[in-house]
Amino acid sequence: MSATLRRRDLLRAAAGLPAGLAAAPVSRPNLLFVFADQMRQMSMGCAGCAEVQTRHFDRFAAERGAMLTDAVSTLPVCAPYRAAMLTGRYPLSNTVIVNNARLPDEMPSLGKVLRENGYRTGYIGKWHLSGEPANRGFVPPGPMRHGFDYWAAHNCSHAYRRAVYYRDDPNPVPVEGWEPDVQTGLAIDFIRSAPRNQPFAMVMSWGPPHTPFEAPEEFLARYRKPLKLRPNAGITSDSLLRIDDSRFRKRAANPQEVLEEITLRYYAAISNLDHNFGRLLGCLDELGIAEDTVVVFTSDHGDMLGSHGQFHKGQPWEESVRVPFLIAYPREIRGGTRSDVLLGTPDILPTLLGLMGIRKPGGIQGEDLSPVLRGRSMRGPRSALLTIPCALTTWGGRWNRLADGGYGFPPGFMRPYRAVRTRTHTYARDRKGSWMLYDNVKDPYQRNNLIETRGPGAIPSECQKELADWLDRTRDSFGSDEDYQRWIDLRTGIVREPQRLVRG
């Protein structure tokens, strides 16, 4: 008997019900897809980090589901991740290549596919796909919600202690308390109210541990300094002066002390998410529907958190691109499974549809990796694409050029690149040529850039071929910032002529 069944029987016995009785399985499984914002893969106990407390994630990975250890964010920035995850398409195809670009209303996506297949759909949390202006929190019912009927969301906000969300009219609903706690309660209410004869699909986007590096006091109290940081982590006063948080800029004279405090806050926020994830699992167990629900926990991208002297995301280093990916479906996935199959963001949609027995729509570019989750033999991808098409982002109807520095990045580091991550290496090119090459097996903290120490001759031919193949498959011309900038309308965030983003 599985651990989930044992827990369910205990709950039913406590309620005075006989063991072994559960709701009749629906014809297709429910979906509970939960993702954090800016949570890197290596900040979980089950991923080897002894400093962070994540007992629910750890137990889920050990007993209940599968852990994909080499899941990556294809374009490690908030809005582009969301577009690639929902559509199963690479960024140049779904046209969301920078923050605050708008996902075209007509684009096939997860919510639409599931609703067309009889699902009750819902979305809670940060959306970030309705375009400019960036402060527009209300997303009206209709095509801009991409198939999600129940709605408790804000387009883009990280005000975790003074949050609001929107339902079906432009009047904001204030959040009383810590935002992820309230969002989790809304998701539980949605699950409890779901008809037992209709499958549900809930997607929930938590804001933490994304800046401003906050957490509830009870979770902050769990941690003490000094913390053991990653071996490649360390920042300078100059890096702190460039971070987008005045609390820490004021203390730039003590960079190591500030880095420890930021890391402590980051871990405390993750521990709160872990607590709320446990609440969600408890709800599924109590209702007796865990066996019939696909549960996913992941993140849109990671955070450098001082590694290589930087903060935030966007870079091809492991701390930025590797994301947690935990998935359970007890009827199909053996608990405790670990796999190093390479999973990129566009692979999520076809993999979920394959696991749920739903035909994928046309135009999907990602690969269905559900056979791996079922324990079947499959030749997985040889590499995963990593990309930043241009060193620009939109904010408030204007362009920010991140290559000039800021947001914790030294000048020149936030550059456009195309990269591949194989099972052994990370290889990246910028517009000047080869930029990074790391042997991730021998050098897991990526401290020895082989292009700098051994020259271009060190680049494995496999990496060069894989990157060339990806550029061909995605029709990527590797253009200049201006090539992409000219086609995005800053008033709306919509790409005016999508065909211009790819080569003919």
Side-chain angles (χ1 to χ4, degrees):
M1 180 183 292
S2 72
T4 300
L5 285 171
R6 289 195 298 272
R7 284 192 296 272
R8 185 176 68 194
D9 286 348
L10 288 171
L11 287 165
R12 296 187 67 82
L17 299 172
L21 295 180
V26 295
S27 58
R28 282 183 173 144
N30 306 306
L31 174 65
L32 176 59
F33 189 97
V34 183
F35 66 108
D37 195 331
Q38 210 152 303
M39 178 178 164
R40 59 192 193 180
Q41 185 265 356
M42 57 282 302
S43 291
M44 298 187 297
C46 55
C49 181
E51 298 292 309
V52 67
Q53 300 171 29
T54 52
R55 67 184 183 93
H56 294 290
F57 294 145
D58 300 347
R59 187 172 182 182
F60 184 90
E63 299 178 4
R64 195 158 183 158
M67 177 177 177
L68 302 191
T69 59
D70 289 305
V72 298
S73 180
T74 297
L75 201 168
V77 181
C78 303
Y81 167 89
R82 286 160 170 77
M85 180 271 288
L86 290 172
T87 66
R89 299 186 181 197
Y90 284 88
L92 295 179
S93 177
N94 67 48
T95 76
V96 180
I97 62 172
V98 295
N99 263 354
N100 302 327
R102 178 173 163 182
L103 182 63
D105 295 350
E106 67 277 8
M107 190 72 65
S109 58
L110 175 65
K112 293 177 184 177
V113 172
L114 295 184
R115 187 170 66 179
E116 290 167 0
N117 279 271
Y119 279 74
R120 179 176 181 246
T121 59
Y123 193 97
I124 295 172
K126 175 180 170 181
W127 178 241
H128 214 179
L129 289 172
S130 64
E132 291 281 8
N135 62 355
R136 179 175 56 203
F138 176 59
V139 181
M144 289 177 69
R145 294 187 180 181
H146 286 269
F148 293 104
D149 293 321
Y150 174 87
W151 191 262
H154 190 296
N155 183 52
C156 181
S157 173
H158 291 283
Y160 308 132
R161 298 185 191 278
R162 54 189 184 281
V164 300
Y165 64 89
Y166 296 86
R167 297 295 304 274
D168 294 334
D169 63 62
N171 298 311
V173 180
V175 171
E176 299 294 333
W178 181 250
E179 186 181 43
D181 295 345
V182 175
Q183 291 168 335
T184 302
L186 291 172
I188 288 172
D189 291 343
F190 174 89
I191 293 169
R192 288 187 183 279
S193 66
R196 294 282 81 89
N197 60 350
Q198 181 187 17
F200 67 79
M202 165 53 63
V203 176
M204 184 164 61
S205 172
W206 283 322
H210 188 289
T211 52
F213 297 126
E214 295 180 359
E217 290 301 324
E218 65 180 288
F219 291 92
L220 287 168
R222 295 184 180 186
Y223 291 90
R224 295 286 184 272
K225 291 185 286 185
L227 288 174
K228 182 179 179 181
L229 304 177
R230 280 177 70 77
N232 62 3
I235 55 172
T236 64
S237 296
D238 181 65
S239 293
L240 278 180
L241 289 172
R242 297 177 182 280
I243 196 171
D244 53 333
D245 194 316
S246 61
R247 296 173 301 172
F248 304 123
R249 287 200 302 269
K250 292 175 181 177
R251 297 163 56 193
N254 301 295
Q256 193 67 14
E257 176 185 303
V258 174
L259 180 56
E260 283 194 24
E261 180 177 334
I262 288 173
T263 305
L264 183 153
R265 290 170 172 269
Y266 186 84
Y267 287 170
I270 290 172
S271 291
N272 173 261
L273 300 186
D274 175 77
H275 162 73
N276 280 306
F277 190 65
R279 292 173 62 197
L280 293 167
L281 298 180
C283 174
L284 299 179
D285 288 342
E286 180 184 347
L287 296 175
I289 58 174
E291 296 286 307
D292 299 303
T293 303
V294 176
V295 179
V296 175
F297 175 73
T298 186
S299 178
D300 56 356
H301 50 75
D303 192 311
M304 296 302 296
L305 210 65
S307 290
H308 302 283
Q310 300 189 40
F311 289 102
H312 299 314
K313 59 264 188 175
Q315 305 287 18
W317 284 299
E318 294 282 85
E319 293 83 4
S320 169
V321 300
R322 279 181 75 194
V323 293
F325 198 90
L326 309 178
I327 182 168
Y329 180 25
R331 295 190 184 277
E332 298 282 352
I333 301 172
R334 183 184 297 275
T337 299
R338 290 175 72 98
S339 173
D340 63 355
V341 66
L342 291 163
L343 177 136
T345 309
D347 300 325
I348 294 173
L349 175 60
T351 298
L352 289 176
L353 297 181
L355 195 61
M356 298 164 73
I358 298 172
R359 179 179 297 180
K360 67 181 181 182
I364 298 296
Q365 295 174 304
E367 188 167 352
D368 175 7
L369 302 178
S370 62
V372 173
L373 298 173
R374 291 186 168 103
R376 298 175 186 169
S377 177
M378 174 186 179
R379 182 181 179 183
R382 293 186 297 269
S383 65
L385 175 68
L386 309 172
T387 180
I388 290 287
C390 61
L392 296 160
T393 189
T394 72
W395 197 261
R398 60 187 171 83
W399 288 100
N400 286 346
R401 184 175 175 81
L402 297 180
D404 296 333
Y407 296 93
F409 299 119
F413 270 82
M414 187 61 186
R415 63 187 77 177
Y417 63 81
R418 307 297 189 271
V420 288
R421 189 182 186 282
T422 71
R423 287 187 174 83
T424 58
H425 288 79
T426 296
Y427 168 57
R429 286 177 48 201
D430 62 15
R431 293 199 180 103
K432 295 180 180 179
S434 296
W435 174 26
M436 293 182 183
L437 174 66
Y438 294 102
D439 184 327
N440 297 326
V441 178
K442 297 178 181 177
D443 180 24
Y445 298 104
Q446 298 181 316
R447 291 183 285 191
N448 178 23
N449 182 352
L450 296 172
I451 291 174
E452 293 179 349
T453 58
R454 293 171 50 189
I459 303 170
S461 59
E462 173 197 6
C463 290
Q464 294 176 315
K465 181 180 185 305
E466 287 296 311
L467 184 52
D469 287 348
W470 276 114
L471 294 178
D472 185 59
R473 286 169 57 185
T474 57
R475 299 169 60 197
D476 187 348
S477 63
F478 208 155
S480 67
D481 287 347
E482 292 72 22
D483 290 336
Y484 302 108
Q485 183 178 350
R486 67 168 60 97
W487 301 114
I488 298 177
D489 185 346
L490 279 180
R491 295 171 302 167
T492 62
I494 295 174
V495 172
R496 291 189 294 266
E497 298 183 46
Q499 70 276 10
R500 298 282 188 171
L501 295 183
V502 295
R503 67 170 184 254

